[in-house]
Amino acid sequence: FISDWSSDVCSSDLGWCVIVSALMFSIKAWALNPNFYISLYDRMDLAEDLSVSKADLNASITLLLDYLDGKASSIDRTMIIAGKEQAVFDAKEKRHMVDVKALYQRALWTGRIAGGIGILLFVLLMHSKNGLAFLTKGLLGASFCFFIFVAFLALWMATDFTDFWIHFHGIFFQNQDWLLTPGKDFMIDMLPEMVFEKLVVSIVLSFLVILIVLNLFCVFYQIRKAPIGFEVEE
């Protein structure tokens, strides 16, 4: 058995591990899902606006996502744009995707590490006195702090998504390769701000659904099942 103090610390750490893992699950489920983009393209009639075929547009976004997920070694391909065959992505766009892939892979490994640590902490708590009571308490505490942060981001995105998106890139990218020009760089044409806005909203909503369901269970357990005064029991 571990002490009540250790259980409290483990439960808080486990709560954050669950949050990170759930967030990465939501990102992977939406950001790397080609059907999400393809359905948006159809609703936007984007292929027609960009003077390309739907097949080429869908193949380009699929290649981009496969590259991020490590299923493709490069994003080199050509397509017919306005009746002329040309490379889809130029050197600047390729450099930017190298940075995006590195960022995504680091985030993915962070999620995996958080998941591994979370499993270890879960096992420790389940072998301690009142482990589930501490676990639910820790997740509620971590979730409360994170909900405040998410509320701030949601307000920021709702009032000025462009400003949020610019600051996001400024924090995570050390160069200017992410500053792409609509009408010149095909990557920004196939991924306009509206697509990113819907992507971020979808990720946040699915993540919140997971977290809300877990927290409802935690509230139920704390109210109905957790032993009274378990934090100070000898």
Side-chain angles (χ1 to χ4, degrees):
F1 295 108
I2 58 178
S3 68
D4 285 351
W5 179 85
S6 297
S7 295
D8 219 9
V9 173
C10 286
S11 66
S12 179
D13 291 342
L14 176 56
W16 285 106
C17 288
V18 170
I19 289 172
V20 171
S21 298
L23 180 59
M24 285 310 306
F25 172 82
S26 299
I27 290 174
K28 186 174 177 61
W30 287 101
L32 296 188
N33 180 4
N35 292 327
F36 168 80
Y37 302 90
I38 291 171
S39 63
L40 270 180
Y41 292 163
D42 288 340
R43 294 202 297 270
M44 297 165 61
D45 290 325
L46 189 61
E48 183 177 348
D49 291 343
L50 298 180
S51 300
V52 300
S53 70
K54 286 186 178 181
D56 273 338
L57 180 59
N58 295 346
S60 295
I61 188 62
T62 300
L63 175 62
L64 212 59
L65 301 180
D66 284 346
Y67 175 74
L68 289 178
D69 209 20
K71 299 175 183 177
S73 58
S74 76
I75 56 173
D76 291 327
R77 79 180 305 266
T78 60
M79 66 186 296
I80 304 298
I81 304 177
K84 180 182 178 182
E85 184 175 5
Q86 60 188 72
V88 179
F89 306 113
D90 61 22
K92 183 179 181 180
E93 292 167 306
K94 292 175 183 177
R95 290 197 305 271
H96 179 53
M97 287 310 299
V98 170
D99 295 336
V100 173
K101 181 177 182 178
L103 176 64
Y104 171 72
Q105 292 297 331
R106 286 197 298 270
L108 190 62
W109 274 107
T110 299
R112 289 169 177 167
I113 292 171
I117 294 174
I119 291 172
L120 290 176
L121 292 175
F122 178 81
V123 172
L124 280 174
L125 282 171
M126 290 301 97
H127 282 82
S128 69
K129 187 177 182 180
N130 300 321
L132 191 56
F134 278 107
L135 187 156
T136 51
K137 176 190 173 188
L139 182 56
L140 284 171
S143 297
F144 177 76
C145 295
F146 194 76
F147 275 133
I148 295 175
F149 176 67
V150 170
F152 166 74
L153 290 183
L155 181 62
W156 188 4
M157 287 186 285
T159 53
D160 193 342
F161 184 83
T162 301
D163 184 64
F164 162 79
W165 200 239
I166 290 173
H167 278 83
F168 169 84
H169 283 78
I171 291 171
F172 288 104
F173 299 106
Q174 303 303 311
N175 54 49
Q176 302 298 306
D177 289 338
W178 62 274
L179 291 171
L180 303 176
T181 305
K184 177 179 179 293
D185 299 306
F186 189 76
M187 185 176 294
I188 197 63
D189 289 334
M190 69 186 291
L191 293 169
E193 184 176 295
M194 189 181 81
V195 171
F196 280 118
E197 185 173 355
K198 289 185 179 297
L199 175 62
V200 172
V201 170
S202 298
I203 290 171
V204 171
L205 288 179
S206 63
F207 166 70
L208 288 179
V209 167
I210 295 172
L211 214 54
I212 288 171
V213 170
L214 290 175
N215 276 269
L216 286 175
F217 168 77
C218 292
V219 170
F220 168 80
Y221 189 86
Q222 285 289 315
I223 293 175
R224 301 294 298 273
K225 301 292 185 180
I228 296 174
F230 70 88
E231 301 97 329
V232 294
E233 284 183 355
E234 297 295 332

